[in-house]
Amino acid sequence: AQSVTQPDIHITVSEGASLELRCNYSYGATPYLFWYVQSPGQGLQLLLKYFSGDTLVQGIKGFEAEFKRSQSSFNLRKPSVHWSDAAEYFCAVVPLSGSARQLTFGSGTQLTVLP
Amino acid sequence: EAGVTQFPSHSVIEKGQTVTLRCDPISGHDNLYWYRRVMGKEIKFLLHFVKESKQDESGMPNNRFLAERTGGTYSTLKVQPAELEDSGVYFCASSRTPPTQYFGPGTRLTVL
């Protein structure tokens, strides 16, 4: 069955530390890939997306993500986390084929940043 | 450029009452989507409009939910009658060119 998995429900890091949030997908063909962030009291903000080409994608707020076809993964990274990065992060996909154009989301990863 | 807006930001109603949520997409975006996240669950797709037409409503949970997009501009999502399990956050998103979607702040619905 097609699915998006974020294995980590909750991650805690210290401010200034590096961050990697995991996302794996299970689709016949590589789907369109997205990362969204929801800060407290805010809506979902698009961080970055991957459609094709360079497998390392740069996004807003200093985030990047790397697509690895062999691992069916699209992990989100940031070299140095800031306190304002505390939020919930969602990986999402849209299938490459078929008529469906809606996003399918992972269950989210809650990020806590320690001072 | 104004983003996607949603009204109200919060709504608290009693079981059996009716609630109408509104979404104003980004100007010029023909595609409009509704999603919701119930407590502890994943964000789930409800339906997709292209202009005023329902392109895909496969995610609508039951016939207590009615979505409209008259004139292809703003959209409303009515829940009638509301049940306890309808509580959650309802998100609206819009897109000029799928699949990239831009989300509004959401409406938090609490059914007592």
Side-chain angles (χ1 to χ4, degrees):
Chain A
Q2 297 178 332
S3 65
V4 182
T5 303
Q6 293 180 246
D8 305 303
I9 297 173
H10 196 173
I11 284 183
T12 300
V13 299
S14 297
E15 191 168 17
S18 63
L19 172 69
E20 182 169 28
L21 303 182
R22 296 182 291 165
C23 173
N24 293 92
Y25 61 89
S26 176
Y27 281 75
T30 301
Y32 299 113
L33 298 161
F34 303 84
W35 275 98
Y36 286 86
V37 60
Q38 185 179 19
S39 300
Q42 305 295 314
L44 292 162
Q45 183 179 21
L46 179 64
L47 282 176
L48 47 76
K49 59 188 178 184
Y50 175 77
F51 291 175
S52 64
D54 192 344
T55 57
L56 188 62
V57 180
Q58 301 299 318
I60 62 171
K61 302 185 177 186
F63 285 92
E64 65 179 26
E66 185 172 15
F67 166 63
K68 292 185 177 179
R69 185 187 305 276
S70 61
Q71 298 178 19
S72 297
S73 69
F74 187 56
N75 294 349
L76 182 70
R77 301 195 297 240
K78 187 169 185 178
S80 177
V81 170
H82 188 262
W83 64 266
S84 60
D85 293 325
E88 191 164 18
Y89 292 79
F90 296 93
C91 181
V93 309
V94 173
L96 198 64
S97 60
S99 60
R101 284 295 172 260
Q102 67 267 27
L103 289 157
T104 297
F105 286 87
S107 53
T109 297
Q110 184 70 48
L111 174 66
T112 297
V113 180
L114 300 177
Chain B
E1 178 179 77
V4 177
T5 58
Q6 292 186 246
F7 182 83
S9 57
H10 293 84
S11 180
V12 181
I13 62 173
E14 293 190 351
K15 176 182 173 180
Q17 289 186 324
T18 298
V19 63
T20 301
L21 313 181
R22 173 169 170 149
C23 169
D24 287 77
I26 295 171
S27 178
H29 284 197
D30 287 339
N31 294 273
L32 187 149
Y33 306 80
W34 284 98
Y35 296 82
R36 76 171 178 177
R37 189 183 193 192
V38 297
M39 185 70 71
K41 301 290 188 180
E42 297 168 358
I43 301 170
K44 292 290 191 183
F45 166 77
L46 295 177
L47 87 159
H48 170 203
F49 283 100
V50 178
K51 296 185 179 179
E52 66 275 9
S53 299
K54 293 176 184 175
Q55 179 77 10
D56 182 351
E57 51 184 333
S58 62
M60 295 288 264
N62 51 61
N63 59 10
R64 295 185 293 104
F65 289 76
L66 176 63
E68 296 180 323
R69 191 182 182 196
T70 306
T73 55
Y74 70 91
S75 174
T76 58
L77 181 64
K78 180 189 289 188
V79 185
Q80 179 182 27
E83 298 289 344
L84 298 179
E85 63 264 25
D86 300 332
S87 295
V89 181
Y90 289 76
F91 292 104
C92 175
S94 73
S95 172
R96 184 189 304 275
T97 307
T100 304
Q101 298 174 31
Y102 299 93
F103 281 77
T107 294
R108 181 173 295 279
L109 174 64
T110 301
V111 182
L112 302 176

